Amino acid sequence: MTTSVTNETIDLMKTNIKRMLSHFYKNVTVNDVLKEAVMNCIQANATEIGIDLQYEYHTNIDSNNSNLGNLSKIIITDNGEGLTTKNINAFFELATENKKNIGGKGIGRFSFLKIADRVSIDSISNEGEHVSFDFSYNASQENVIRTKSSKKDTYTKIFFSNLNLKHPKTQAQSCVNFLKEKFNLMLFLKQKETQKTINIRVFVNGKPFGEIISSFNIHCLDQANLKINDCKFTVYTFLDYKKTGIEIFYCANNLTVKSFSFSGNFNKQYIFAITSDYFDQKSNLERTQFNFGSEDELDQFDMLSPKPGKNFEEMLKNYCFNIVREHEPELLKENKARLDNLSAMYGYIDFSNVQLDNISFDEASILKAYRDKINQEEDNLINLLANKNATLDEIAEKVSEQNKHELAKYIFHRNLIVKRGLELKSLYENENILHELFFPQKLSVNCDHEVNKPHLYHNNIWLLDDKFMTYAYIASDVTIKRIIEEIDGVHSSCQSVKRPDLFLLYNKPEESTEYKDVVLIELKKGNIDYTEQFKAIDQVARYKRATEKVLQNINSFYCYVICDFDGNDENIESAMKDRHFTKVFSNKGCIYYGYLDGSKVHLIFVSLSSIFSDAEARNETFLKILKGECD
């Protein structure tokens, strides 16, 4: 048997509304219901909306405090148009199109039933009828009681009782905060449309609670009309001193449909609401998104309707940003200070292309953009090397650019080391810090072993001389016995447990028959006077003799004695001259060089301030060259 389905049979089909709506509404909160109810009030052209939150208290526990009582009933009242015949017909139709033109889906009222076992409605409409009924999943128009009314004042009251709340102690203040956040902009736009003030008042057990949420109190900083390709936009500007950044809202039919957020380095938030007939036309029915389409689609749009063009969003954003710039005269100065701080932290990065008038000046984004650029350049270099048609000049240029970045990064690391060293006031208090700056203690590196290559940023012996960036072996606070074993690669009979502060085999591995140079660095605590200077000379000579017994083919032996001493001390200067030491030029502090003829040692006395001031001068020269500031 064949059964035909007609529109009449479809209307008679049984629908499990409760089960179907459970897919739309899960974990409904008090705020969700307030949002839906207040939206209905505003759309019914109400100017006074009252929300009474009624709490039940346990006298011995809650002490009549709304923060502790359980929310038991909600009453929402408005003075809108009331439940008219059209509204009643729509109320009992699932997914009605009654409010389609203002973004309604026709199912919002069913959220009421998710928090209350009983929802009662009482209303006097502008058609002169008194209407009352209980709303439920099975309710129908047959349950509606309609009588004539002589009262002129219209209203609608919704009573929510027998509440089923996951959080029964919902606080009234949180509801007030939510309503302000959700409806302030809508109230403002609705007032602009109707020229009527709209108030939302919250009560707790019948008594006024908190401030009135009023469209009258929403102050607009600026209002401007903007025309883009004959398409008109109205831009409203607001300020919020409790937040920061920039918010831009596209609004259709008084509802926010699309929003953008931008950071900003000012201590307030600029809020822009933009309305337009174009937005009203291009919003979907639910007012959840726009369909601006492509330029071709815009051309096919109603030829009589103004079209803004494909770049209108960028123009709107720039317009809003320019308003912020007008109200933030210190923005350029503040961004300059932030960029200077960024340059101090990342001196190897070229920030010359950063726009100082950028509203959303963000250090993290600037660094990310730079690193993305470097990674892209590295990929380009790899692709270029794989290109058989690439010329040697092209490859050399790309390699040079990449190496320049790496070198600048390394030089800036050196700058940080220098700055840390300049903070040290005396060797006596900072011997360990200085030792770690030069090279980590207890660490040794044999450059001839692939598995034990030195890390570029470990070796800061360049603080004394840049030639020490290269070496065959280095040891920091390691015994002579271990040094010999690590250089030879075999067990040594040497029993010396002396630990030079820093030991470098400068240019050749030990197994080489060629002559090699040894560099020894000693840190001396405290101020060294001319008597201590003699002791240091004797100690260096002993180190030299001990080293010669276990290392072969030593060509030259250099020793740096780092200490605190006053280069202008006449006693020290006389003692140095008597021993044929020469005062060497330094930017600051003092250096003396002498050759010990008996033990054949090159001995250099270096003051702490001299090391770091000279290193700073060399580094500044390197950075200037990399930045192209030197001829």
Side-chain angles (χ1 to χ4, degrees), residues 583-597:
K583 198 171 187 177
V584 181
F585 170 78
S586 176
N587 285 278
K588 184 180 179 181
C590 186
I591 301 176
Y592 281 102
Y593 165 78
Y595 180 69
L596 307 182
D597 193 46

Side-chain angles (χ1 to χ4, degrees), residues 77-290:
T77 308
D78 74 73
N79 66 345
E81 63 189 22
L83 281 174
T84 63
T85 300
K86 181 181 177 181
N87 291 339
I88 293 172
N89 292 337
F91 206 95
F92 292 96
E93 180 184 342
L94 182 64
T96 175
E97 295 186 352
N98 182 42
K99 297 181 180 179
K100 181 176 69 173
N101 65 319
I102 53 175
K105 302 182 184 70
I107 60 174
R109 61 198 176 281
F110 288 98
S111 66
F112 299 168
L113 302 175
K114 298 293 289 187
I115 71 162
D117 288 340
R118 185 178 182 187
V119 178
S120 300
I121 297 173
D122 183 78
S123 176
I124 291 181
S125 72
N126 58 12
E127 295 175 343
E129 274 194 331
H130 177 263
V131 178
S132 64
F133 61 93
D134 286 342
F135 177 52
S136 67
Y137 290 112
N138 299 319
S140 67
Q141 292 198 45
E142 296 176 358
N143 305 117
V144 178
I145 301 173
R146 302 172 67 166
T147 59
K148 289 293 182 179
S149 174
S150 59
K151 294 182 179 180
K152 294 182 179 180
D153 294 335
T154 60
Y155 69 85
T156 298
K157 287 185 179 180
I158 306 178
F159 300 84
F160 301 85
S161 55
N162 298 337
L163 301 185
N164 300 312
L165 297 177
K166 187 175 182 180
H167 302 287
K169 294 188 181 296
T170 297
Q171 297 184 23
Q173 186 60 53
S174 70
C175 295
V176 172
N177 296 340
F178 170 80
L179 291 168
K180 287 177 63 177
E181 183 78 21
K182 187 55 81 175
F183 288 104
N184 264 355
L185 184 54
M186 185 179 183
L187 293 181
F188 173 85
L189 295 176
K190 188 69 175 179
Q191 178 177 292
K192 282 290 181 180
E193 177 188 323
T194 63
Q195 298 301 308
K196 295 180 180 179
T197 300
I198 305 170
N199 298 316
I200 302 175
R201 306 172 191 269
V202 177
F203 302 83
V204 171
N205 290 4
K207 296 180 181 180
F209 179 89
E211 60 182 304
I212 299 173
I213 303 170
S214 175
S215 60
F216 181 78
N217 295 328
I218 304 170
H219 301 294
C220 178
L221 177 69
D222 186 36
Q223 175 182 339
N225 295 319
L226 185 64
K227 184 182 285 188
I228 302 176
N229 194 26
D230 290 330
C231 188
K232 296 178 181 178
F233 297 88
T234 301
V235 181
Y236 301 100
T237 307
F238 307 88
L239 274 182
D240 187 342
Y241 289 94
K242 296 179 181 179
K243 298 180 181 179
T244 61
I246 299 171
E247 291 277 355
I248 299 177
F249 297 99
Y250 290 174
C251 302
N253 302 110
N254 302 327
L255 297 175
T256 298
V257 180
K258 188 176 182 179
S259 64
F260 309 88
S261 298
F262 305 91
S263 62
N265 62 317
F266 29 82
N267 58 356
K268 61 183 76 74
Q269 184 183 57
Y270 287 85
I271 301 168
F272 297 93
I274 307 177
T275 63
S276 172
D277 288 342
Y278 176 72
F279 285 164
D280 294 345
Q281 296 165 0
K282 302 301 287 184
S283 173
N284 65 348
L285 293 178
E286 294 80 12
R287 303 302 185 267
T288 56
Q289 65 183 27
F290 289 109

